């Protein structure tokens, strides 16, 4: 395959990833408390993965959404007692987002609640195929993350 032949294949790969994201988001949101959606879980998961103390602006860049969207998402989490805003000690004009124990517990509970779906998938789908594609997906994500336009 030549680079000129690649665009249809690349589109097809991204299309499949997009459909998988939509289907998995539906499963995730079925396990979330009323009033919370996938972006809320995404923020909880991000803070567990990279650590507390991110600013809303840094998270907006990481999620590639407008700062106003991230501020709205974080506000919903604050309202539910899942994160708290603290002054940024390095910049008095900004705030940092910190998980509460309730936020950590909710993230863990949602993952646990999704275990039956994960177990069913593991029974009905060749899990070795997932092991095989994980490094490729990780490499693709890393490439896309590193090559995105700085904003």
């Amino acid at each position: 395959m030549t680079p000129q032949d690649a665009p249809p294949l690349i589109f097809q790969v991204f299309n499949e990833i997009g459909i998988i994201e939509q289907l998995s988001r539906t499963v995730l949101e079925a396990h979330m408390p009323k009033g919370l959606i996938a972006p809320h879980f995404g923020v909880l998961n991000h803070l567990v993965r990279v650590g507390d103390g991110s600013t809303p602006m840094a998270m907006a860049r990481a999620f590639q959404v407008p700062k106003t969207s991230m501020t709205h998402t974080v506000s919903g989490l604050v309202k539910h007692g899942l994160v708290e805003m603290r002054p940024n000690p390095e910049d008095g004009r900004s705030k940092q987002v910190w998980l509460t124990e309730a936020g950590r517990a909710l993230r863990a509970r949602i993952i646990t609640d999704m275990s039956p779906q994960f177990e069913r998938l593991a029974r009905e789908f060749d899990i070795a195929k997932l092991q095989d594609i994980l490094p490729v997906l990780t490499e693709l994500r890393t490439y896309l993350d590193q090559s995105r336009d700085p904003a």
Side-chain angles (χ1 to χ4, degrees):
M1 175 172 283
T2 68
Q4 294 78 14
D5 298 326
L9 171 67
I10 293 169
F11 173 79
Q12 197 173 5
V13 168
F14 285 139
N15 191 55
E16 290 297 327
I17 291 169
I19 293 168
I20 291 166
E21 189 279 330
Q22 290 172 342
L23 294 167
S24 62
R25 182 177 0 109
T26 299
V27 171
L28 170 69
E29 288 181 345
H31 294 281
M32 297 193 64
K34 184 176 167 106
L36 297 177
I37 56 175
H40 293 113
F41 181 84
V43 169
L44 297 177
N45 198 52
H46 177 80
L47 292 170
V48 167
R49 194 172 61 80
V50 302
D52 284 322
S54 290
T55 64
M57 180 59 87
M59 289 194 307
R61 279 193 298 272
F63 283 82
Q64 293 190 276
V65 299
K67 183 178 182 278
T68 54
S69 296
M70 183 55 64
T71 299
H72 180 74
T73 300
V74 169
S75 294
L77 292 168
V78 169
K79 184 176 101 178
H80 284 88
L82 302 172
V83 300
E84 61 184 23
M85 301 296 290
R86 297 181 191 168
N88 184 344
E90 296 175 16
D91 179 359
R93 298 167 297 166
S94 71
K95 303 268 187 196
Q96 294 176 314
V97 184
W98 294 80
L99 280 166
T100 63
E101 285 307 312
R104 287 183 198 285
L106 177 64
R107 176 191 173 272
R109 184 184 60 80
I110 290 169
I111 293 169
T112 298
D113 289 352
M114 290 174 53
S115 290
Q117 283 88 0
F118 296 151
E119 290 166 4
R120 188 173 108 219
L121 178 64
R123 283 192 308 273
E124 298 175 9
F125 190 86
D126 184 355
I127 205 76
K129 289 180 179 180
L130 295 178
Q131 286 178 305
D132 290 344
I133 66 168
L134 183 58
V136 174
L137 291 173
T138 301
E139 185 179 352
L140 177 60
R141 178 198 37 87
T142 300
Y143 168 80
L144 292 170
D145 194 35
Q146 291 174 349
S147 66
R148 62 179 155 156
D149 291 333

